[in-house]
Amino acid sequence: MKNIFSHGEPENMYKVNNPKSYIVMPKLPQKLEKLIDIAYNFWWTWTTDALELFRRIDRDLWEEVYHNPIKLLGSVSEQKLKVLESDPSFIAHLEDVYKELQKYLTANTWFYREFSKSHPKCCIAYFSMEYGLSECVPMYSGGLGILAGDHLKSASDMGLPMVSIGLCYRYGYFKQHLTDDGWQQEEYVENHFFRMPMKRLKEENGSILKLFIEIPKNNNSHLNDEKTSKDGLEKIFFEVWEIKIGRNSLYLLNTDLAENSAENRNITHHLYGGDREMRLKQEIVLGMGGVKLLQSLKITPTVWHMNEGHSAFVVFERIKALMKNNGLSFKEAKEFVASSSIFTTHTPVPAGIDVFSVDLINKYFNHYCKDVGIKIDDFLSLGRENPEDKNSGFSMAVLALKTTSFANGVSKLHGVVSRNMWRNLYPNLPSNEIPIDHITNGIHANTWISYEFATLFDRYIGPAWKDEPENQTIWSRVKEIPDAELWRSHERRRERLVSFSRKRLKEQLLRRGATRAEIERSDEVLDPEALTIGFARRFAEYKRGTLLFRNLDRLKKILSNKEKPVQLIIAGKAHPLDNIGKDIIKYIIQLAKDPDLRDKVVFIEDYDMNVAHYMVQGCDVWLNLPRRPLEASGTSGMKAAVNGVLNVSILDGWWCEAYNGENGWAVGGGEEYTDLGLQDEIESRIVYDLLEKEVVPIFYSRGIDGLPRAWIKKMKDSMLAICPIFNMNRLMEDYTRKFYLPADINYNNFIANNWEMTKNFSKWIENLQSNWDKIKVLEVKDNIKETVILNEKIEVEAKISLEKIFSKEVSVQLYWGYLDSKNRITEPQIVEMQVVDERNGVYRGVIISDRVGHCGYVIRILPKFNNKIIYRPNFIKWY
């Protein structure tokens, strides 16, 4: 069905030529002016007192403006402002919140205490295609953006010196509406930046800061000389909007300017919109434009973090600047850039990676190659798994992996999946040693916890849970929360979810033109006391949104039990081009009309952060049913857990690490299937069994006092196991220690002494490339007889010819372990061999035979720089 919604202007809008432009800002009485300072710092989004302050201004209006404090302050009546100005209680509340903000901004943070002396100039640049900060700034589509938003909030909490770059979307992602038969339609609503809590950057003289990047001129465009340079390059101008996130800033680039062609104005119109060429231009602006902005602001990051491959073009702009400003060669600059760069992949399948055609890359980067003095084929090879394959496209993930020194997946299982997915980049290297680590995702607990649970935690755990959410000792006090108070707090959230769902359902029915009877019946759907299951996520096929509906008779029996009622609340969007995902939504909507289900199954349209808050705070069970191992991590279940909601999930993504048998339920045992139909049948039965035999009985097993004691125990077990580990502070500490600090050290080491290490490293790599294939293992001797006694020493001596490579530049290893039936080493151990005769290339090592069975060893050689092993494609020798 054709999209009936337009993001254009209404036909009846009165148009005039060249209207005089001006900006209207909220005017507040002097006593209330501090509200502006609070509103323009997203600290308010995770601070209960600040949120309550804005609610107090006008609760109905706060909901009407969708929790946007700038629109609120611009819409509230003068009469109301006068009342607030003369209200001592409100003024005291305002002063308290303002002081709390100032205290937050000047506090002694974790990073400052731990690392300010050892890393005094550390600065982290974080790039992401989307950011989910609040529903009032709708420039996110889902999990990637929400994670990025939480990342920035925790970076501020912990005092990491971070600056972030993204795109400023005029229409963002779409708003979802469903037709009466359930077909998803997309509406694109314009974002009015001046009505949002963000500010446009200006030059010191007060003029708007505008920068540009250059791309080849489009043959169809008719640009004046000012926009086109002599060598046929077209300028893309962009302005910059700043969002303050606690102590740090997020800068969003906007190309929707009069100086640009209509085509280039569209670059920042839609998140994930347009064709492949538009996506390429978006990623050029994000990566290369982001570097230009930081240069203009005189910000010098020592660490560069790419959240997914969308921003990987950042490396080329950095290389170009280093060559121009510091006299480095392309190879030297590339090695330096890699030394301080980090790449986080969120994708478990190759189909999810951005890959651009050779023609597009040729079109947009031929001029770049001429500027930096490399061949286009050399450029293309950086984005190809096999550089010799001239027919393959240009992969942004491959580019990121080849030009960074640190890479990670977003859960332990996803790390394994990623290493297997990209093993062709590292031929002859065992999968477990491929240099792609993992850092499991987490959530910013303050953002996602309900007011009721936050208050409960403050009272019984102490406010330290906000500042140290990774502290296991703090969370152990969850046991001290009285069962009755925990349960009542949770029940209030379920009641609010039901009330919210009824209201949204009524609005949906009105919009669809439903009958009066249907609209009136919406006030009676759902039961505030019934066991409530939540299922909310992107509707992609692998998420299996229909698995729970596979056996309708069995599902109806579970939902229709009058003594133990169960209900489902569902939400989520399908990508505009994903008709399979849209069909899944349509199927669910049609099922929900069944007389046996219509009061038990509700689909909430337009899933966003606001809907997510209600759902993760108010459901009893959070259901997750992806095909393993296609869920890279997932975080919605973590948000549910901090609110006492129990997970029922496939053992995929983060749940593999979190599940301990007591803190929720696992669907299956982590099996992976080749027969997908069989998988769906087996796992749907497991879900029904869990609901019938465990989940529902435990929920409705009540004591004399009406409390489900066994359920409450599982709630506490869940919070104890999940909250201290799957939070953003733990994630940020992992990134800091594993990646950020080593990258900062690399940066400073590589620039020291007029880039001495950079130049030496580049020469070293060049020498390796010329001489690696000349390395030969000439002779190997050992003391092995036919059998070896347990714990006996096996002494191995090898004679190796390194040609023009020095012994300190290699790691010669004994790689040993059990042998399987195909003579492959399993459960390997590694022993570093020591050079005992450098002139003749003699190395010795000792294996302690600490295992019984069929074992074996081989010798392998890896490159080493400054005593650190370097994993590079094709630089590995086995013998």
Side-chain angles (χ1 to χ4, degrees), residues 472-486:
Q472 185 81 47
T473 304
I474 292 171
W475 288 102
S476 66
R477 299 174 199 155
V478 163
K479 298 175 184 176
E480 298 172 17
I481 300 175
D483 287 358
E485 288 196 55
L486 183 67

Side-chain angles (χ1 to χ4, degrees), residues 34-42 44 54 69-70 73 197-198:
K34 291 174 181 174
L35 283 168
I36 295 289
D37 292 335
I38 298 168
Y40 275 109
N41 192 316
F42 271 68
W44 63 262
F54 290 122
I70 298 302
L73 297 175
M198 49 201 279

Side-chain angles (χ1 to χ4, degrees), residues 691-710:
L691 292 175
E692 291 168 341
K693 298 174 184 178
E694 296 191 47
V695 177
V696 176
I698 294 175
F699 181 86
Y700 284 105
S701 178
R702 308 295 171 98
I704 298 174
D705 55 5
L707 296 178
R709 298 283 181 179

